[in-house]
Amino acid sequence: MFMYRLLLVIFFIPSLFFSQDISRKLDQAVQELLRSDAAFAASISFYVSDEQGNMIFDYQGNKGFSSASTQKIFTAAAALQTLGKEYRYITKASYSGEIYKGQLSGNLFITSNGDPTLGSWRYDGWKPEDFKNKFIAAMKTSGIKEISGNLILDDSYFDFQTVPGGWPWDDMGNYYGAGVWSINWRENQFDMKMKGNSIQGFNIKMDEVKWINEVKTGGNADQSLIFTAPYSQVAYINGTLPSRNITVSGAMPNPPYQLGTEMMDWLKESGIKIHGKAITTSQLKIEGQKTLQMPENNVFFTYQSPTLDKIVYWFLKKSVNLYGETFIKTMAKEKKGTGSFDVGVAYLKEFWKGKGIHPSTINFADGSGLSPQNYVSAKAEVQALIWSKKQPWFNSFFTGFPEYNGMKMKSGTIKNTKSFAGYHTSSAGKPYVYAVIIHNYQGAKVSEALYQLLNHLK
């Protein structure tokens, strides 16, 4: 027994001194950063632990900040655990009425449970043309050659609100601020070709949208902002753009209707005549008309998304906000029966509270981190990372982490806020789990400033 205790002391004391040395270096680096001119009014939440959760360094680790996209680690892990990495979204086509000699005396319906990848360009086998070809093949198999009614886009699976309430107006019309519908299409993004301050065209038909263009020419980078509101037919672009040809990307104001207009063209190209028009159930609701839901007994086409683990990969790798907000609504619908942001955000907080994270350190406002009304702490992010590492789906989670400064970590950026959270094993073989959030830093090289802190973990 004496020898056993002696061995414990022999192994424990060097480890303790090593942790104290790292902690001292990190503290010195934080104090040096805070003395810099750029950090004159800045605040930091910084927390480091080992893989077992033993604290190595803590500087205001419980302090809550808007953490930007590092908040995605909470949403991604909760989605993998709640829905399962094999979860798939489903889009269906059905019809009302009867088919007689190729003529459908009724409406054609399309519905989805919020597939955020529908028409995405990121996945081989799931691109817009893949969906189109499979849909048209199903139409021909069904024997429908003529449709007397309308093409109804049933986008009623989630609630009517498409954008979290705390999102800034400056963000909402840009591609990264795209809202969530029950039917999403092309990641709810459009590309606008510009030459200086002149609109040259779009990658999709946007005939219904009227543009107010107040862009000025100047500078060498894209400094423009696009403003589109859900369901609106008026869009606005301002700021500055270089005089050369450039593409800027915005958020579709009505993705279900956009899909409907494209599908109308597909039908026409395929020789299938339709007498009606594309209508969304949301539009019927706006107009105070009776909404029409898709008949379940005449489904002739079922289209599945990539599995959730593949969606989570791109969610983390490219920080696709649309995916995070869709996960929030999906978890709310699956677990609580209501596909809304409020219910989903409450579920996310409940989920992590159940994993031992103090509720005051996870005041979520959305699932992507875009809202400045989010307040989470560095310690909470580390706790979420440690819990995730113990789960069977961890590889699907970790694979999506980008690499910065030679370290695998998720980054986050919103105005005057920068954050990093991830895992790193030092050259001495010591594994660390860490998160750092800096708020109100006024310098241009904020990432480099945080790298100087994190380099002590290498």
Side-chain angles (χ1 to χ4, degrees):
M1 180 62 71
F2 174 77
M3 183 61 68
Y4 174 74
R5 290 178 178 175
L6 181 61
L7 287 172
L8 282 178
V9 170
I10 290 172
F11 285 109
F12 176 73
I13 289 178
S15 177
L16 176 63
F17 286 154
F18 181 80
S19 296
Q20 289 176 340
D21 185 53
I22 290 295
S23 180
R24 178 181 56 81
K25 290 179 179 179
L26 290 172
D27 186 62
Q28 289 175 349
V30 168
Q31 297 305 325
E32 182 178 346
L33 172 59
L34 290 175
R35 286 193 295 269
S36 67
D37 291 340
F40 179 80
S43 299
I44 292 179
S45 181
F46 189 14
Y47 194 86
V48 182
S49 81
D50 61 20
E51 291 180 316
Q52 286 71 47
N54 300 308
M55 187 271 289
I56 291 173
F57 179 73
D58 181 358
Y59 185 88
Q60 298 191 125
N62 286 324
K63 187 88 170 179
F65 290 120
S66 299
S67 64
S69 284
T70 54
Q71 184 169 310
K72 288 180 170 68
I73 63 178
F74 295 102
T75 307
L80 285 165
Q81 182 70 12
T82 301
L83 305 173
K85 70 176 187 176
E86 299 298 322
Y87 181 89
R88 293 179 187 264
Y89 289 90
I90 305 293
T91 301
K92 298 178 181 179
S94 180
Y95 60 87
S96 61
E98 301 291 336
I99 302 172
Y100 181 70
K101 293 185 177 180
Q103 294 188 349
L104 171 61
S105 57
N107 297 313
L108 187 64
F109 287 81
I110 304 294
T111 193
S112 179
N113 62 345
D115 182 1
T117 71
L118 190 64
S120 172
W121 60 92
R122 300 183 197 274
Y123 308 87
D124 290 336
W126 283 272
K127 297 182 188 298
E129 59 270 24
D130 295 310
F131 178 74
K132 171 187 175 180
N133 293 338
K134 290 177 181 178
F135 169 71
I136 292 301
M139 284 291 299
K140 292 182 176 178
T141 300
S142 73
I144 299 173
K145 298 178 180 178
E146 185 173 352
I147 303 163
S148 66
N150 298 309
L151 173 60
I152 307 293
L153 287 300
D154 179 3
D155 57 341
S156 62
Y157 185 77
F158 293 148
D159 72 346
F160 187 78
Q161 184 180 349
T162 63
V163 176
W167 278 15
W169 176 230
D170 278 4
D171 291 331
M172 283 169 48
N174 299 284
Y175 72 94
Y176 57 86
V180 176
W181 274 258
S182 300
I183 297 177
N184 302 296
W185 178 240
R186 297 180 182 270
E187 295 195 3
N188 300 348
Q189 174 181 324
F190 66 85
D191 298 327
M192 180 191 303
K193 297 176 183 177
M194 300 289 295
K195 185 174 183 180
N197 62 353
S198 176
I199 299 174
Q200 301 295 298
F202 301 87
N203 67 319
I204 56 176
K205 288 172 60 176
M206 297 190 68
D207 299 341
E208 298 285 324
V209 179
K210 308 301 179 186
W211 281 89
I212 305 297
N213 178 9
E214 293 187 352
V215 171
K216 300 185 185 305
T217 303
N220 297 313
D222 178 1
Q223 296 294 326
S224 66
L225 284 175
I226 297 173
F227 298 84
T228 62
Y231 307 107
S232 175
Q233 294 181 338
V234 178
Y236 173 53
I237 182 171
N238 66 9
T240 60
L241 286 172
S243 58
R244 67 179 186 275
N245 292 329
I246 194 169
T247 298
V248 297
S249 299
M252 290 183 193
N254 197 337
Y257 181 75
Q258 178 64 40
L259 173 59
T261 60
E262 293 188 37
M263 294 185 80
M264 293 288 284
D265 288 339
W266 302 346
L267 293 171
K268 183 179 179 180
E269 292 167 6
S270 302
I272 300 171
K273 188 174 183 179
I274 181 167
H275 293 271
K277 58 184 180 180
I279 302 174
T280 69
T281 53
S282 291
Q283 189 61 39
L284 294 174
K285 186 173 184 177
I286 291 169
E287 295 172 355
Q289 299 184 40
K290 181 181 178 182
T291 58
L292 303 173
Q293 292 186 324
M294 188 191 82
E296 288 289 347
N297 57 329
N298 291 328
V299 174
F300 65 92
F301 174 59
T302 299
Y303 183 86
Q304 295 186 330
S305 75
T307 53
L308 186 73
D309 56 349
K310 294 180 174 63
I311 305 174
V312 165
Y313 172 84
W314 287 112
F315 174 51
L316 295 173
K317 183 69 71 175
K318 292 298 183 182
S319 224
V320 186
N321 294 329
L322 168 68
Y323 290 3
E325 305 312 330
T326 305
F327 294 158
I328 286 292
K329 285 199 165 190
T330 302
M331 288 187 287
K333 186 75 172 182
E334 293 280 353
K335 302 302 289 187
K336 302 296 183 179
T338 301
S340 72
F341 292 120
D342 288 346
V343 173
V345 167
Y347 172 78
L348 188 66
K349 184 167 184 174
E350 174 188 306
F351 178 93
W352 287 109
K353 180 182 175 182
K355 309 307 175 192
I357 297 180
H358 195 288
S360 294
T361 65
I362 45 172
N363 288 312
F364 303 127
D366 64 15
S368 64
L370 186 59
S371 172
Q373 295 179 13
N374 291 297
Y375 293 98
V376 302
S377 74
K379 182 177 180 180
E381 292 191 334
V382 169
Q383 289 175 300
L385 291 172
I386 291 171
W387 180 84
S388 298
K389 198 170 192 310
K390 301 172 183 176
Q391 308 312 310
W393 42 256
F394 174 71
N395 285 340
S396 298
F397 177 73
F398 182 66
T399 301
F401 277 51
E403 184 172 310
Y404 302 98
N405 192 38
M407 305 172 80
K408 287 277 282 187
M409 53 189 178
K410 187 73 190 81
S411 71
T413 308
I414 55 177
K415 187 175 182 180
N416 294 330
T417 293
K418 186 70 184 181
S419 60
F420 291 106
Y423 308 86
H424 187 73
T425 300
S426 72
S427 58
K430 181 74 173 178
Y432 295 108
V433 186
Y434 59 89
V436 59
I437 309 164
I438 188 166
H439 179 64
N440 204 29
Y441 184 90
Q442 300 298 315
K445 296 183 178 180
V446 61
S447 292
E448 286 75 6
L450 294 184
Y451 293 161
Q452 292 302 311
L453 301 182
L454 298 175
N455 282 343
H456 291 287
L457 303 179
K458 290 187 172 180

